[in-house]
Amino acid sequence: MKNFIIVFLLLVIPNFCIAQSVDAEPDLTGELKKWHKVTLTFDGPVVSEQDQFNPFLHYRLNVTFTHPKSGKQYNKPGYYAADGKAANTSASSGNKWRVHFAPDETGRWIYKVNFRKGQFSAVSEQQDTGVSGEYMDGAVGEFIIQASDKSGRDFRSKGRLEYVGKHYLEFAETGEPFLKVGADSPENFLAYEDFDGTFHDDGRKDNLVKSWAPHVKDWTQGDPTWQKGKGKGIIGALNYLASEGLNAVSFLTLSTEGDDHNVFPHTDYTTHDRFDVSKLDQWEIVFEHADRLGIFLHFKTQEVENQGLLDNGGVGAMRKLYYRELIARFGHHLALNWNLGEENGEWVDNHHTPPQFTHQRSIMTEFFHENDPYPRHIVIHNGVPFDDLLGSKSKLTGPSIQTHREDFGHVHDAVLEWRRKSADAGQPWAVAVDEPGDHRYSLVPDNVNPDHDNARQNALWGSFMGGAWGIEWYFGYQNEHSDLSAEDWRSRDLFWDQCRYLLQFFEENELPVRLMHPEDELTEKEDDYVLYTPGEVYVFYQKTADDISVDLSEYNGNYNVRWFNPRTGEYVYETTIEGGGSGLIEAPEIEKNTDWAIVVRKI
């Protein structure tokens, strides 16, 4: 009777495949909890990175996840995973195919697999491109998701960080905004000797490959490694950042024609349609650890010299394939942004590849918007200004600002400019300053300038008081620990304390930044910064302490006033003033020739 049923199904239902009901059950791994990474690994065709029928370009794995109760649906790209454990085996062949998913609802989720094969299937927009890849194609299954048990800095306690059409990004679970402060340098963070690949000793700028040895001591028992203890340096480096209260790290994922040459996801420098599976698996171990530490991932997808490396700057097969691999492997991470390019556009004669213009910049933005199923923050770093990408029709959600003064003097005005321009154009951007200062020195090491007055006053406080959602610190080219050579973040240890003090100030005072506006004209001093919600809360930042007159004539009640030392993280004076008048705030007996932050809140 059983054999009769099988024959009947084969005759009546042409697309019926026994393998789908027997062999297509995936290996389901990860904690089945909301916001946690859930991984489905399927048995598929046995292939290798170098097969003539390219497994990256000519196969396409997509999995649709549906939450019946809410109606939410996500189409997630998958990828070829070699033997499924390549981070530890360095395998380049196998039959494992994988997809990652971070569910945003508890309860029942249903998945359905679409696995196709054919020339250029991976970059095809057609649902049924090529022919069925068989194996798991058409497989359907389900799983149940429980609530997360995480807390603290771990992003899984907060949910996915999303652009919501405002000047600040918000966590989907808690609704709270995120303020980031982190390291923009070294840009070749991923040029690490413990990663697989031949970039370590191929004669192309091998001196820039890092050991991260100074941070091995920051690795702790229980932290991840691979291949019998590799990875302690880079994992320890992230531990150190988190211990200093920082919450962001920036890195290039493609630098083959740039300043470094050692960071690329491909199997070699010139083959752009094949990826190094084991190296990328090792990257994922690092990124997953960052999630647990509450460290935001700033993916800079190309350097200025690489603008025309893929498809001459267009969005053709090679660029689509590159972006797809990034989204498939790393798009499940909860807190990240996609940066379309460092110093992008025609602004320097780089003598490497053609520059990109408005059309290419727009199409890149649209690709991420359409192919990453989540409402991600998509940014671009200025070479040329961003005016051509303003407006509600653009899918860009914010700028990644670079400035050019050694004293960081342009930072505050740049933030104000792009907040205003984007709002006027109909789509408010979330503005971050990701390379403040000049290209030579920018944030110097502590042993050069332990006080960091200009960095603190003009850039750190200047950015947030202008309404920025974040800042990352660039190390310059002419410092001992430079943008390329740095592998010891303790070289700026004293300044990280000042960064932590700012984040604590905003958090401890529960500042409603989404409702606050920069308005420096509220005080008479030209170099004061002001961020406020009328009648409710005011923050004043003064580079030299002085009396402040606040117009509170329309607001009754009392206001609490606290003076904060941004150099030490201490509140040194507290008083009360009455509303309904000029609201004079007298400067207390403090050191008046340096900077102070004053928070005024209605009681």
Side-chain angles (χ1 to χ4, degrees), residues 358-385:
T358 299
H359 178 68
Q360 289 100 333
R361 288 147 67 97
S362 297
I363 298 299
M364 288 191 297
T365 309
E366 290 171 6
F367 184 91
F368 274 103
H369 177 77
E370 293 170 3
N371 289 276
D372 185 336
Y374 305 127
R376 292 296 191 189
H377 190 38
I378 305 171
V379 306
I380 196 165
H381 186 228
N382 61 290
V384 299

Side-chain angles (χ1 to χ4, degrees), residues 254-368:
L254 184 61
S255 69
T256 53
E257 296 297 326
D259 299 318
D260 168 72
H261 290 209
N262 293 298
V263 181
F264 50 93
H266 309 103
T267 53
D268 59 59
Y269 291 102
T270 58
T271 305
H272 299 137
D273 60 356
R274 297 178 187 271
F275 297 91
D276 189 325
V277 173
S278 60
K279 183 204 297 183
L280 295 181
D281 275 2
Q282 291 157 4
W283 286 10
E284 169 62 10
I285 292 172
V286 175
F287 298 154
E288 191 168 15
H289 189 64
D291 264 4
R292 293 168 180 164
L293 295 173
I295 294 179
F296 175 91
L297 300 171
H298 183 158
F299 283 81
K300 292 188 290 190
T301 60
Q302 62 179 356
E303 201 167 4
V304 58
E305 294 88 350
N306 291 295
Q307 291 181 79
L309 182 66
L310 304 177
D311 307 314
N312 288 319
V315 183
M318 294 302 97
R319 188 175 297 274
K320 288 180 179 179
L321 188 65
Y322 169 50
Y323 289 166
R324 176 186 167 85
E325 195 75 12
L326 291 179
I327 294 169
R329 287 181 166 275
F330 310 124
H332 61 280
H333 288 285
L334 298 175
L336 65 81
N337 66 219
W338 303 118
N339 189 327
L340 304 175
E342 182 216 31
E343 298 178 337
N344 191 264
E346 187 183 29
W347 71 286
V348 293
D349 184 6
N350 58 54
H351 304 292
H352 288 271
T353 60
Q356 291 177 305
F357 298 96
T358 299
H359 178 68
Q360 289 100 333
R361 288 147 67 97
S362 297
I363 298 299
M364 288 191 297
T365 309
E366 290 171 6
F367 184 91
F368 274 103

